[in-house]
Amino acid sequence: MVHLEFSGTDFDADRIEFIELARSAGLEVVGVIGGKRERPDAGTYAGSGKVDEIAMAAKAAGAELVIFNHDLSPSQERNLEKRFECRVINRAGLILDIFARRARSHEGKLQVELARLNHMATRLVRGWTHLERQKGGIGLRGGMGETQLEIDRRLLRGRMDTLKKQLETVKSRRAQNRHGRAKSDIPTVSLVGYTNAGKSTLFNALTGDATFASNQLFATLDTTIRKVELKSGETVVLADTVGFIRDLPHDLIAAFRATLEESREADLLLHIVDAGDPERGARIEQVEAVLKEIDADEVPRLQVFNKIDLREGETARVETDAEGLPLRVFVSARSGEGLDALRNAIAMRLYPDLADETLVLPPMAARLRAQLYTLHAVKSETVDEEGNCHLVVRLPSSRLDRLCREAGIAPPIRTPTPAVH
């Protein structure tokens, strides 16, 4: 494994994450070589002296693979492979390999395959440089290698087009599902965060689900969606998404765009942060950068600092802004500490105007009454002598007003009593 230090990078933190990535891919690390450079070498990235050092170390250790924690061009990879006499990949290739191993759903496999083919498209020549190349001329249309390359490129483009069409179908289906949830007025809360921050463990704790969770990078890739009832009685849809990472390959972001749209279209993002990570400030910035890249940076966010059980003296608590709205919640998904406070915080962010209100409905408003019962918004009901229904309803004021307008009923005259979240 090769990890070079350039100015402006956090050498130690990046090195630790690099090793964890390799172990997540099931690789045995036999050596890590570092060094400092002002700028990458155009031909070999590392420079001739460092390349000689890596070649000797790889040969001595019997290494079958050399991984650079950097972006290598196709020509740099080919030059290094000739020198090392073994396969060479860069950081993006390593992450793509992990994704290929972990994808379980049909959609996830399609997304990973498209990302890998995008990555491979510029590196096809590697497998065919040994083939004969003939000179051009009358009656000659190029050598065997050129013909095979063109065939491969054509096959590659055809497969990529097929995958894109299949993913468009997935995107359309997801859009229909989101439209259905929007029509039922069920808000979506999407979990985002740096990989291994405990998103899936927190998702399981909130939903009672058994989604796979493990203490490793990219333990889960496939988006999982479940309904959750908050303390206020409101129902929300919780979506667990793929974890982010520094320098997430653009091929992956493009391929997973259909999945990541769950975050972009969400009503609230829970940004999960590992409270015990000494680099948590940098991790937060890196997640924010990915959210901006997928156009999700305008979605309201609630930061959730997880794993407080691993920090001595840390306690569950809620930090609010000047108006009393929650900004940060400190929890432990593993022990359950602070989860009730998190549910309350989600309700307060989604329904800042949630209140118990009395609504008087005439007999002809039976349809609106049925809607309110379907939404589980009716807390009590009495009927007067004229047949009018007196309902105590718990709904956000803006939502109740809209339902009343649609039914042609005057909204309640308010002297609201705030509901207990």
Side-chain angles (χ1 to χ4, degrees):
M1 303 186 71
V2 182
H3 177 60
L4 304 177
E5 182 180 6
F6 297 90
S7 58
T9 60
D10 190 334
F11 184 74
D12 292 331
D14 289 351
R15 179 179 180 275
I16 293 170
E17 181 180 272
F18 183 36
I19 295 172
E20 285 301 312
L21 279 172
R23 289 174 176 160
S24 294
L27 298 172
E28 179 188 353
V29 180
V30 295
V32 181
I33 293 180
K36 293 185 178 182
R37 286 191 64 85
E38 287 296 322
R39 63 185 65 84
D41 178 77
T44 62
Y45 196 90
S48 58
K50 183 60 66 175
V51 167
D52 289 341
E53 178 187 345
I54 298 166
M56 291 175 62
K59 187 174 182 179
E64 299 171 342
L65 175 69
V66 175
I67 311 173
F68 277 67
N69 194 24
H70 311 279
D71 288 329
L72 299 178
S73 69
S75 61
Q76 287 171 336
E77 284 188 11
R78 291 194 296 273
N79 293 338
L80 291 169
E81 285 185 342
K82 289 177 183 177
R83 185 67 183 84
F84 300 153
E85 297 180 348
C86 68
R87 190 175 172 221
V88 175
I89 65 172
N90 61 9
R91 177 187 174 87
L94 175 60
I95 295 174
L96 286 168
D97 185 76
I98 296 172
F99 273 56
R101 291 168 180 264
R102 301 280 166 76
R104 293 289 179 268
S105 69
H106 175 64
E107 177 190 349
K109 291 176 180 177
L110 289 177
Q111 291 167 327
V112 171
E113 185 181 356
L114 179 59
R116 295 188 83 183
L117 291 179
N118 271 320
H119 185 71
M120 189 190 304
T122 58
R123 291 162 167 78
L124 266 183
V125 70
R126 171 194 298 171
W128 305 103
T129 51
H130 65 287
L131 296 179
E132 177 188 2
R133 291 182 179 272
Q134 298 177 3
K135 294 181 180 180
I138 297 173
L140 298 176
R141 298 178 57 86
M144 197 157 96
E146 291 164 328
T147 303
Q148 183 63 58
L149 273 175
E150 287 306 313
I151 292 172
D152 272 22
R153 286 188 179 121
R154 186 164 59 252
L155 291 173
L156 202 64
R157 284 194 297 269
R159 178 59 180 161
M160 289 169 67
D161 288 342
T162 300
L163 291 171
K164 287 175 182 177
K165 289 177 182 177
Q166 291 176 321
L167 285 172
E168 280 299 317
T169 302
V170 170
K171 181 179 179 180
S172 176
R173 186 167 63 245
R174 283 189 178 277
Q176 290 175 356
N177 292 340
R178 283 195 297 269
H179 181 66
R181 294 198 297 266
K183 285 181 65 176
S184 63
D185 284 322
I186 300 178
T188 299
V189 179
S190 184
L191 276 65
V192 299
Y194 208 81
T195 184
N196 207 30
K199 290 190 295 79
S200 295
T201 303
L202 181 61
F203 179 87
N204 290 342
L206 290 172
T207 63
D209 204 19
T211 301
F212 177 73
S214 178
N215 185 28
Q216 58 183 6
L217 304 184
F218 301 119
T220 53
L221 296 182
D222 301 314
T223 297
T224 308
I225 297 175
R226 297 288 185 273
K227 286 185 178 180
V228 176
E229 186 169 316
L230 304 177
K231 287 291 184 180
S232 62
E234 295 292 317
T235 298
V236 301
V237 170
L238 203 63
D240 184 20
T241 60
V242 63
F244 300 159
I245 197 169
R246 179 183 66 82
D247 297 334
L248 193 64
H250 290 281
D251 290 337
L252 273 178
I253 293 176
F256 275 75
R257 191 163 291 276
T259 300
L260 295 174
E261 278 181 358
E262 291 292 345
S263 300
R264 191 177 68 188
E265 301 295 332
D267 297 282
L268 178 69
L269 296 180
L270 296 188
H271 181 170
I272 315 303
V273 181
D274 183 349
D277 187 349
E279 301 297 322
R280 68 185 190 185
R283 304 292 186 237
I284 291 172
E285 291 180 3
Q286 288 148 5
V287 170
E288 292 292 333
V290 176
L291 290 175
K292 186 173 183 179
E293 188 164 352
I294 63 173
D295 301 322
D297 52 321
E298 298 298 324
V299 180
R301 284 192 277 297
L302 174 64
Q303 285 187 342
V304 181
F305 286 81
N306 189 25
K307 304 185 183 181
I308 61 170
D309 53 311
L310 302 180
R311 294 197 71 190
E312 187 176 350
E314 189 70 86
T315 58
R317 65 185 188 277
V318 179
E319 295 180 355
T320 61
D321 62 13
E323 298 178 355
L325 282 178
L327 289 177
R328 287 172 288 275
V329 185
F330 292 75
V331 305
S332 168
R334 191 171 296 279
S335 70
E337 189 178 1
L339 293 186
D340 283 344
L342 175 58
R343 292 186 182 96
N344 292 339
I346 294 171
M348 292 176 70
R349 289 299 301 266
L350 289 173
Y351 308 110
D353 57 347
L354 188 67
D356 287 345
E357 303 186 72
T358 301
L359 182 64
V360 180
L361 297 182
M364 70 279 296
R367 183 175 179 180
L368 175 56
R369 177 180 175 274
Q371 278 184 297
L372 294 171
Y373 270 99
T374 300
L375 293 171
H376 305 288
V378 180
K379 302 306 173 185
S380 65
E381 178 182 15
T382 58
V383 182
D384 62 23
E385 295 179 354
E386 284 87 27
N388 297 316
C389 297
H390 295 252
L391 306 176
V392 176
V393 179
R394 181 179 298 177
L395 269 183
S397 300
S398 56
R399 188 174 175 188
L400 181 58
D401 288 352
R402 178 168 57 80
L403 290 173
C404 288
R405 285 195 303 272
E406 291 173 353
I409 302 295
I413 299 173
R414 291 188 171 86
T415 53
T417 303
V420 177
H421 287 287

